[in-house]
Amino acid sequence: MALRIQNISKSYSNGVKALHNISLNIPAGMYGLLGPNGAGKSTLMRTLATLQEPDEGTINFGVINVLEQKEEVRQTLGYLPQDFGLHPKAKAEELLNYFAVLKGIKEKKARKEVVEALLRQTNLWDVRRQKLGGFSGGMRQRFGVAVAMLGNPKLIIVDEPTAGLDPAERVRFLNLLSEMGENSVVILSTHIVEDVSELCTRMAVINKGKILLETEPHKAIEDL
Ligand code: ADP
Ligand code: ADP
């Protein structure tokens, strides 16, 4: 399934035009949205995650009209926001189980299996009984991925997930994301060039709300 974004524009009430006529076709695989602070990345990501309305434009995910069929999108959406807040006193396994309940995974045995599989995949199994407040940045982001992956989403939106990670954690995080998102559309927003050059199959560069370039990462680097 592919994500098709057509002519999306958004102005905020303070007059800032955050997105100017954005059009992108995003195939399955890991897709990088590269741009500096204030480029409009979070605005676009929130719009794709059905948390914000654009002023104009259309978005389709396969046969789903994203701006009209929000419930359908949310059933197949995994979203890791930039300011992913955690409850410092909650333990990893308990909180993931709680999110699994919210996600509608009702049957206890199936939920237990899903939670266990995700904790193992994100390499958090050994710390599952620890409080999130003691987690490193990398552990926190891996926990965020586990939450985002609940319910096997086909559209996965991760907003600046590597900001603040050290290089080793960054690489580990990106590998995890690319493995877990193999059969989904994964959109990764970042201001770090290496995030897109290492594992993304395609990429767009955004600045001041406009797409400057849409290409394969190795071609973008050749063009520099
Ligand atoms: P990025 O994620 O690339 O840093 P944002 O989408 O957060 O970019 O921001 C794009 C522009 O929109 C910036 O100029 C920012 O200050 C402005 N902006 C973002 N959110 C709001 C808001 N809620 N109200 C007003 N302006 C906003
Ligand atoms: P179904 O998707 O057919 O409803 P379940 O949700 O019970 O089945 O999951 C079946 C198995 O798939 C689980 O035991 C678990 O190991 C794995 N699984 C389910 N959801 C995920 C996920 N989001 N990420 C990784 N593995 C998962």
Side-chain angles (χ1 to χ4, degrees), residues 2 6-7 27 29 48 71 85 101 128 132 143 195 197 214 217-219:
Q6 284 172 293
N7 309 106
L48 298 176
E71 286 312 313
V101 173
R128 67 190 180 281
L132 296 160
F143 183 77
D195 283 356
S197 59
E214 206 284 327
H218 71 94
K219 288 192 183 147

Side-chain angles (χ1 to χ4, degrees), residues 134-145:
F135 277 20
S136 69
M139 288 159 84
R140 255 175 252 168
Q141 289 304 70
R142 280 186 272 127
F143 183 77
V145 169

